[in-house]
Amino acid sequence: MTVFRAYDVRGVYGTELTEDLAERVGKALGSYLADGKITLGRDTRKSGPSVERAFLDGVLSAGCNVDSYGVLPIPMISFETWKGSYDAAAYISASHNPPQYNGIRFRTAEGYGMLYHQTEMMDLYEKGAFREGEGRKTDRSPEDAIRRYADYVEGKLDIERPLRVVLDMGNGSACGMSLLYQRLDFDGRVINGEPDGLFPGRGPAPTEESLKEAAKKVVGARADYGVGFDPDADRGLVIDDRGRIVTPEKVAVILAKERYGPGDKVVAGFDCSMIVERELLPLGIEVIRERVGDVYVANRVKKEGAVLGVERSAHFFLSEFQLSDDPFAMSLALGEVISRGERLSDLADAIPDYPYIQKSIRIEGSPAEVMRRLAGDLASLEPDATDGLKICTEDYSVLIRPSNTEPLIRLYVETAGGDEDELVERFEGIIKGALK
């Protein structure tokens, strides 16, 4: 499988993602930017310094100048890129993948995800048509970047009482971010706060299972809430004061209700719960669906002038802060809401829960051909084909889409009618029928 994915370069370090490939990617980006200037950062993976050096060699050899921040969350790199008027950003990380993976991510001059396949970069990579030059590297302080960000967001917040928050840094790039919460007078209780690219504390992916220790800490410390971050800290999963995970969709609904209003737009990933529409449309807030993928959602937020974007995988985009996915901005805006007096658990419980079932069906042959057959079989239900096939009724939603990484068709069923088992059986049967 190619390491050149829809919105980043990613693979197993040493076999799929090598120093030679990283250097060539660097040459391609540097050539595309033509004497430009970029920011560069990375997470805590063991292979990070080696991949970073190789990528840096490539960028510099094409005449591009680089300001390097070392280990720093990608939202901070995005902020520095935007506020510092850089031409782009690059980041060495494989996001929530296991430690043996690494990758290279890209940001635009405004700090949000770059759809690099839509630029000349890949054409330059494939042709080997690289510029030659002598770029300059300048080392920048990650702590100074965090302070600048703290000064910026402080002016956008009105937190009415002191808050206690548990921060599960996951041994990743978020480990230095307690400085932000200290500057804003939060009582931050940190766990898994030692940088370690093997992610020994709870693994790289924040999930309900992996955040059990953080959830206990929230309850034991009588904290107002908690947040668990992934290695590059572009995702944040929220824990309420009772130690329960609050789904990203519920967090988005709470923020939209408390912070925004009629006429505003919210962009939701295609696989997000239907509670987003059910809760926000009656308030006059427009909900726009976008295909799955944080870079796609980021670009749609920018295009639509939306106030908020959310993905089921816990990416949040609050454009009043910046266009990048930014779980720190999310956590601070949520803190402002909680500081007014209501408990997060009560706010979350005021939003209904619907059964949401995910199933995977293994296939042989072309996923595109299977999806073509399914489109015919489901035509009478008029599915939305933005990303796979999605059927929405007043009582349920069904999404069928191919996996981006495995030979699987994924089925997502959500219902308010208590008939989830019947719906799963019905649509799983339709999918299996299309495989024959």
Side-chain angles (χ1 to χ4, degrees), residues 363-379:
I363 64 172
E364 295 180 4
S366 166
E369 175 59 25
V370 175
M371 293 302 296
R372 187 190 65 76
R373 287 188 214 133
L374 282 168
D377 294 342
L378 297 169

Side-chain angles (χ1 to χ4, degrees), residues 50-51 74 98 110 119 159 185 194 204 268 280 294 332 356 364 366 374 378:
S50 182
V51 175
I74 195 170
E110 292 181 271
T119 71
I159 295 173
D185 296 324
E194 292 296 319
L280 298 185
D294 59 275
L332 296 170
Y356 191 106
E364 295 180 4
S366 166
L374 282 168
L378 297 169

